[in-house]
Amino acid sequence: QTLPSKSYQYNAIVIKEARMYWGPNANVALFAAQFHQESAWNNEAKSYVGAKGLGQFMPGTAVEVHNRYSDLKALPMYSPLWSVKALFLYNRQLYNGIKPMKQATIHDCSKYAMMLSAYNGGAGWLNRDRKQTLALGQNPDIWWGNVERNSRRAGWAIKENRDYPVRTMLKHTKLYLAAGYPGVDVCLVPSKK
């Protein structure tokens, strides 16, 4: 499968901003895969529920990140640069908010999947799903085969939310890695002890 032609238009800005907000070893391929999943790189994309732009921000979330981060206040919402910066900043906020509940650490394969689940459906739902997983005697620090199997969301929401990390991490990231985007397949990297 080939990359959407618009992905090349935003390649340089995505790499630059990913490294600015996530450091020199930012997993650009994974984030490019997220833009692919969200909007297929169409900055004018608008979903039936009202999400807009490259990162498909809902209006309420867009206002929240616009007000929270000084880097976004001078930029017009839904501009490509705003969308790219907002996705990286919001992802960082979600990623940093995911704390171990049972283990000492959470492997990046699970942590990125949880970050994507929270991006797609909200951090509150992710936290409830993790608590339910723990209550069922499963591991709330492991996404695959544990948290991904537990939720009290509506059926359609569960399907969409659980498909989001699968498509982003296990399908689209591979395309961007193969195309030479910087990054790694975090699910193939051994965990650090």
Side-chain angles (χ1 to χ4, degrees):
Q1 185 180 353
T2 58
L3 302 183
S5 59
K6 280 200 159 194
S7 68
Y8 300 102
Q9 179 180 345
Y10 300 113
N11 178 304
I13 190 173
V14 167
I15 292 171
K16 178 182 177 253
E17 299 299 324
R19 288 178 174 161
M20 180 173 169
Y21 294 111
W22 284 76
N25 296 321
N27 199 341
V28 179
L30 186 141
F31 296 127
Q34 189 177 5
F35 284 115
H36 184 118
Q37 177 68 22
E38 284 293 343
S39 64
W41 297 96
N42 178 3
N43 189 55
E44 296 178 11
K46 183 174 179 181
S47 77
Y48 70 95
V49 294
K52 298 176 185 176
L54 287 174
Q56 288 291 282
F57 278 89
M58 291 296 289
T61 307
V63 169
E64 175 190 333
V65 298
H66 182 75
N67 291 334
R68 177 174 288 170
Y69 298 107
S70 61
D71 288 6
L72 300 175
K73 289 183 181 170
L75 296 169
M77 283 189 191
Y78 307 120
S79 75
L81 183 58
W82 186 94
S83 235
V84 169
K85 286 178 175 282
L87 183 132
F88 292 130
L89 287 163
Y90 190 54
N91 273 344
R92 175 56 82 188
Q93 174 188 329
L94 295 170
Y95 182 89
N96 288 343
I98 299 166
K99 306 293 186 199
M101 295 173 71
K102 189 172 182 180
Q103 303 174 168
T105 60
I106 301 174
H107 188 279
D108 263 350
C109 181
S110 286
K111 196 162 182 178
Y112 276 107
M114 288 186 221
M115 177 196 77
L116 291 169
S117 173
Y119 187 97
N120 173 265
W125 272 113
L126 173 64
N127 292 333
R128 286 189 285 276
D129 293 349
R130 291 183 72 204
K131 287 176 186 172
Q132 180 183 357
T133 301
L134 183 62
L136 292 169
Q138 297 170 21
N139 194 329
D141 297 332
I142 299 175
W143 174 260
W144 308 102
N146 286 266
V147 178
E148 73 167 330
R149 292 186 177 172
N150 301 299
S151 187
R152 291 190 173 99
R153 307 176 203 215
W156 67 267
I158 293 170
K159 180 174 179 357
E160 177 187 317
N161 187 262
R162 292 337 194 227
D163 189 49
Y164 190 78
V166 170
R167 292 176 65 81
T168 304
M169 294 177 71
L170 306 181
K171 181 180 178 189
H172 301 319
T173 297
K174 293 179 188 332
L175 290 174
Y176 288 90
L177 288 170
Y181 278 69
V184 296
D185 182 335
V186 293
C187 293
L188 295 179
V189 176
S191 65
K192 297 174 187 159
K193 298 285 182 188

